[in-house]
Amino acid sequence: MVYLVLIIPSFLIEGKSGTKPSPYQVVGISGPWGSGKTSLKTMLVEEINAARKTSQSFHVVEFEPWMYSGSGKLVSLLFNEVADDLSPKRGRLRRFKVRAVHLVIRVSPFLSDAASAANVVIPGVGAVSSSLIKAFSGLAKATDPTNDDIDSLAWRREKLKRKLDKSPDRIIVFIDDLDRLMDDEVVEMLRAVKAVGDLPHMTYVLLYDRDSITRSLDATCHGKGDEYLEKIVQVPLDLPEPPQDIVSERLKAEARCLD
């Protein structure tokens, strides 16, 4: 795993052999339960953030969709998370609001209102322009299930695309634990990354158990979930299966937590 921590960050930032990454790319890190996907993600984020000390031309976003499973708003919350992480001053407050509300009432009619209330553009957010942050918030609003204006999605996405074209920044979005979602939510997230999130200077790093994800996709892709996944993930990376003794220890540790 150490070699991945050394290789992947530079690839995400600089591209292969020092060339710039493609305008839009999706990296898939797959591995069975216990293989250390989340630990790897944590190390990658730390390495990339460390590199930011010498360059402010990229930003890291972490999205944990399983925390909002059942909300029916995964896509909207994804782009809200991007907007908020680009604006740290409001990001911490909003994430606390959304997660606290979700933990207490699971799904609430005023969840979108709470998110919208937090989506006030704050001056002086740093290298990222407030107009770019506002454009991501607009896309989040357009993808909210309560939005009745279907046409707004196309023009808001096009508006965001134009702003990203002019921006020197690359945005790296980590989406962890995809395999913990319900089948329809897995499809929803992957479609969002492919159809809506296909934007300039965007890199998505998906972490999942490939077998689990494939089974979820099979349910809606006529048994061709593996082929569907291959069309979305441009750079697949497989983690080795962990030794049996490590798996046993982790299972025992989780069982003790349930006591």
Side-chain angles (χ1 to χ4, degrees):
M1 184 179 293
V2 176
Y3 76 95
L4 291 176
V5 177
L6 296 174
I7 294 174
I8 296 177
S10 60
F11 169 77
L12 295 176
I13 297 169
E14 301 173 2
K16 187 176 180 181
S17 301
T19 61
K20 290 297 181 182
S22 59
Y24 156 84
Q25 64 182 4
V26 180
V27 177
I29 300 177
S30 64
W33 184 89
S35 60
K37 295 186 295 296
T38 298
S39 297
L40 174 61
K41 182 205 74 171
T42 301
M43 290 187 284
L44 292 176
V45 170
E46 289 176 354
E47 286 293 318
I48 295 173
N49 282 330
R52 287 197 68 207
K53 294 178 181 179
T54 58
S55 173
Q56 296 295 317
S57 62
F58 52 90
H59 304 271
V60 176
V61 177
E62 296 181 70
F63 183 60
E64 300 174 3
W66 65 269
M67 292 190 67
Y68 312 109
S69 179
S71 68
K73 301 183 178 184
L74 289 180
V75 178
S76 177
L77 289 169
L78 167 62
F79 293 112
N80 254 326
E81 191 80 33
V82 175
D84 290 330
D85 277 18
L86 293 179
S87 175
K89 290 184 179 179
R90 65 188 177 131
R92 288 189 294 270
L93 176 60
R94 178 194 169 275
R95 285 194 293 277
F96 174 79
K97 285 182 179 180
V98 173
R99 291 175 183 179
V101 169
H102 186 74
L103 288 172
V104 174
I105 57 175
R106 193 66 175 173
V107 183
S108 170
F110 63 82
L111 179 60
S112 59
D113 295 335
S116 297
N119 282 337
V120 179
V121 176
I122 299 176
V125 296
V128 182
S129 69
S130 59
S131 62
L132 179 58
I133 296 170
K134 188 175 180 180
F136 270 111
S137 295
L139 186 61
K141 183 178 180 180
T143 53
D144 191 294
T146 61
N147 176 42
D148 295 327
D149 186 2
I150 300 177
D151 294 334
S152 69
L153 174 58
W155 71 261
R156 284 185 183 275
R157 182 179 178 279
E158 185 59 32
K159 180 180 179 181
L160 174 58
K161 185 176 179 180
R162 289 197 301 270
K163 292 186 179 299
L164 284 170
D165 274 328
K166 298 177 181 178
S167 172
D169 302 327
R170 172 163 288 275
I171 301 170
I172 304 171
V173 184
F174 285 85
I175 305 179
D176 197 5
D177 288 326
L178 276 173
D179 45 273
R180 296 179 66 173
L181 297 174
M182 294 182 286
D183 291 349
D184 59 328
E185 291 176 331
V186 170
V187 177
E188 181 182 12
M189 284 304 304
L190 291 178
R191 283 177 177 169
V193 168
K194 179 63 178 177
V196 183
D198 183 357
L199 295 163
H201 308 300
M202 295 288 293
T203 294
Y204 298 89
V205 183
L206 313 179
L207 297 100
Y208 50 81
D209 179 329
R210 187 183 183 97
D211 290 341
S212 177
I213 288 291
T214 299
R215 285 194 297 271
S216 295
L217 293 174
D218 280 342
T220 56
C221 298
H222 309 290
K224 296 183 179 180
D226 203 54
E227 295 179 21
Y228 184 86
L229 186 62
E230 288 179 356
K231 291 179 180 179
I232 294 175
V233 176
Q234 301 163 339
V235 185
L237 299 170
D238 296 324
L239 296 182
E241 189 168 347
Q244 188 60 42
D245 57 336
I246 294 180
V247 175
S248 298
E249 285 300 319
R250 291 190 179 183
L251 285 172
K252 291 176 182 178
E254 290 200 3
R256 287 194 292 269
C257 292
L258 296 175
D259 291 339

